[in-house]
Amino acid sequence: MRIGVLTGGGDCPGLNAVIRGVVRKGVTVYGHEFVGFRDGWKGPLEGLTKPLGIQEVRGILPRGGTILGSSRTNLFKIENGVERVKENLAGLGVDALIAIGGEDTLGVATKLADLGVNVVGVPKTIDNDLNGTDYTFGFDTAVNIAMEAIDRLHTTAESHHRTLIVEVMGRHAGWIALHAGLAGGANVILLPERNFDVDQVATYVEKRFQHEYAPIVVVAEGAQPLEGQMVLQNQELDSFGHVRLGGIGQWLAEQLEAKTGKEARTVVLGHIQRGGTPTAFDRVLSTRFGLSAIDAVNEGDFGKMVALRGTDIVRIPLIEGTGELKTVPLERYTEAEVFFGS
Ligand code: F6P
């Protein structure tokens, strides 16, 4: 078979490890051929390809980003997008596609599978908000980066008797904030799933100062105050209709400074959370996802997404992964609340 591979959406540590797993097993065990599509769905849409064989995947296991490039292209927003993809796949002699992506990229894959394209999905996102899989790769790396930042911020916050606010990624789901906050011993964690009361946050912060420590507040970029408006950097939307976030940390610093009389500063971790080499956990998960995805293609088991359940890699219908986002359940937040303000 001739198999196309693409990576779409925000890049994520572990993408290259998936590509390597797919190609290594696909060539050496099954004897398939591969075509790399550049920049997500833009590749098949515009026929942008690059060679993808054993040689091209040598040395990429620890490398961040994606050797194929990425974009947030939504075929269903482009005139004749689907027809153009089908024509290009036929023209290039591509029998099947492996799409590695998050909610948006795999959302497109789900619709294409319904329209008869042979596609298998691999779930990727640092946000860990795809349904049907216990974890997505990239999440563990992002959490470790944020945890390390929090560890470092504790000592400087204490030296200067300041509140330090760490803004992490997470537009609709606060998994990174929750895990990094728990692992890093944050004083307060604020998630998009639950609007926060800024006066309550100020009380937690004051309590922490009373204990002669300085507070670290971890806030997800999509968190909002009670009855407040989401804080937007600008109103630009991407082709999947998402706004660019950023700003809640700064807003919170101003509020906390005014309410507590103590200096408050914000650190926005931003794309640092997505860059660089994956953790061992993410390398192993990505590799196992890649191996399972090529098995699925080889068996003609299309319209599926590979997923982690416990310690097993399973295959589920794509729609199970993309139909609804996996947000943080209230009980998980309640667990963390024990540490707030103490
Ligand atoms: O979906 C992954 C993610 O990193 C989100 O956490 C974040 O909101 C978004 O991508 C940022 O996207 P971009 O890099 O395109 O601004």
Side-chain angles (χ1 to χ4, degrees):
M1 258 195 263
R2 198 162 146 80
I3 302 159
V5 182
L6 65 89
T7 54
D11 73 327
C12 179
L15 284 167
N16 287 324
V18 178
I19 299 168
R20 172 178 171 270
V22 163
V23 173
R24 287 281 283 272
K25 186 164 187 182
V27 173
T28 58
V29 178
Y30 297 127
H32 296 312
E33 248 180 64
F34 290 89
V35 177
F37 281 109
R38 289 173 186 269
D39 301 341
W41 289 113
K42 195 172 174 217
L45 181 75
E46 297 180 9
L48 306 173
T49 63
K50 71 184 273 184
L52 191 61
I54 298 278
Q55 208 45 46
E56 284 73 24
V57 300
R58 290 245 180 257
I60 67 171
L61 174 64
R63 210 161 119 191
T66 161
I67 58 164
L68 295 176
S70 191
S71 74
R72 295 188 190 273
T73 307
N74 187 350
L75 297 183
F76 290 89
K77 287 268 168 71
I78 293 165
E79 219 181 308
N80 301 324
V82 175
E83 291 70 27
R84 282 168 62 190
V85 166
K86 283 185 167 178
E87 271 168 30
N88 282 332
L89 293 180
L92 291 161
V94 172
D95 309 296
L97 271 179
I98 293 180
I100 311 166
E103 172 205 358
D104 298 328
T105 304
L106 295 190
V108 169
T110 309
K111 290 189 200 162
L112 282 181
D114 288 343
L115 296 170
V117 176
N118 292 336
V119 55
V120 167
V122 178
K124 158 258 50 150
T125 167
I126 63 162
D127 298 340
N128 195 39
D129 59 0
L130 274 175
N131 244 320
T133 182
D134 290 351
Y135 287 101
T136 49
F137 65 86
F139 172 65
D140 186 64
T141 306
V143 167
N144 274 286
I145 292 168
M147 178 194 72
E148 195 185 313
I150 295 167
D151 285 350
R152 288 173 186 279
L153 292 170
H154 274 295
T155 55
T156 169
E158 276 154 26
S159 305
H160 290 269
H161 318 289
R162 276 179 183 143
T163 303
L164 280 178
I165 296 156
V166 186
E167 185 181 306
V168 298
M169 281 188 165
R171 187 188 266 143
H172 305 294
W175 290 107
I176 297 178
L178 180 73
H179 281 229
L182 270 177
N187 192 232
V188 190
I189 303 170
L190 305 173
L191 312 181
E193 287 86 347
R194 191 159 159 194
N195 290 7
F196 61 87
D197 175 357
V198 70
D199 291 316
Q200 176 68 64
V201 178
T203 307
Y204 288 141
V205 162
E206 272 166 348
K207 255 180 98 182
R208 178 80 171 176
F209 279 122
Q210 283 160 15
H211 297 151
E212 302 292 323
Y213 283 108
I216 304 285
V217 178
V218 175
V219 59
E221 61 184 339
Q224 297 176 59
L226 283 177
E227 290 172 30
Q229 288 291 305
M230 190 179 272
V231 183
L232 305 177
Q233 203 169 61
N234 60 38
Q235 299 283 344
E236 255 176 60
L237 300 182
D238 68 19
S239 75
F240 288 95
H242 302 308
V243 289
R244 268 181 73 191
L245 300 182
I248 190 68
Q250 193 47 44
W251 179 84
L252 195 57
E254 285 156 22
Q255 296 288 315
L256 292 179
E257 206 164 280
K259 286 178 194 296
T260 66
K262 297 267 191 192
E263 192 185 1
R265 298 279 189 93
T266 299
V267 176
V268 180
L269 294 185
H271 293 85
I272 290 173
Q273 294 158 97
R274 289 211 322 232
T277 189
T279 58
F281 180 90
D282 281 337
R283 292 183 199 190
V284 173
L285 182 59
S286 306
T287 299
R288 293 183 72 208
F289 274 171
L291 297 174
S292 179
I294 191 62
D295 289 344
V297 169
N298 191 59
E299 289 167 29
D301 192 11
F302 298 116
K304 296 287 173 63
M305 179 184 103
V306 298
L308 178 70
R309 294 279 170 86
T311 54
D312 295 330
I313 307 292
V314 298
R315 291 180 211 155
I316 60 173
L318 266 167
I319 188 69
E320 271 185 41
T322 58
E324 215 181 299
L325 275 188
K326 181 181 71 185
T327 52
V328 175
L330 187 59
E331 59 272 23
R332 289 294 310 276
Y333 190 64
T334 311
E335 269 175 16
E337 265 178 328
V338 171
F339 300 97
F340 293 5
S342 60

